[in-house]
Amino acid sequence: MANPVVNTAVCTCSFGTLPMVLPVTSQQTVTMCGMTAATIMDNKCTTFGMCSCPANPAVAAATAAAMGVLTPSACIPVTPAPWAPGVPTVTVCGKLLLNNTSKLMCQYGGVIQVSMTPAMTIKTP
C-alpha cells in the first residue's frame, strides 16, 4: 500500500549525490499526521547536491573541459511537469494527492522519487 507524502518527505534523484527535503507549496490547508499534505504540483525541487547526468549542460561543459572525463556539476533541477501518477481517487485542494510511488522527471534526465515520508498509512484488521 502506498503512503501519502507530506511536507519534509525525503526525495532522491537518480543522478544526484544528496537527498532533498520536499517543500510543500501547492496548498497550506490540508494536513496529514500534523504535516501539510503534498500534491502532484509540489514539483519545486531545490538541489540534490551534485548532478552526474551528461544531458545536464553544466555537466556536459565540465566534462568537455576535463577532456571527456565525466565531471559532476552543481544540481539545479528543472521539473516543469507534475509528479506522476499521484492518487487518482484523492484530491487535496483540487489537486491529486502525492504518494510515495509517484515519480518526477527532471528535464535533464533524472528520475526523482520519494525515499522516506513521515506520513504512514496504517492497515487495520
Side-chain angles (χ1 to χ4, degrees), residues 61-83:
T63 300
M67 304 295 192
V69 176
L70 180 63
T71 306
S73 188
C75 169
I76 303 171
V78 178
T79 54
W83 290 80

Side-chain angles (χ1 to χ4, degrees), residues 2-85:
N3 296 320
V5 175
V6 295
N7 194 38
T8 73
V10 177
C11 300
T12 56
C13 177
S14 57
F15 285 106
T17 58
L18 298 173
M20 175 206 73
V21 175
L22 180 70
V24 173
T25 58
S26 66
Q27 64 88 27
Q28 297 299 309
T29 57
V30 178
T31 61
M32 293 181 171
C33 300
M35 294 167 273
T36 310
T39 72
I40 62 169
M41 298 310 294
D42 286 309
N43 59 347
K44 309 296 186 267
C45 297
T46 53
T47 184
F48 294 97
M50 301 294 282
C51 178
S52 61
C53 182
N56 182 333
V59 175
T63 300
M67 304 295 192
V69 176
L70 180 63
T71 306
S73 188
C75 169
I76 303 171
V78 178
T79 54
W83 290 80

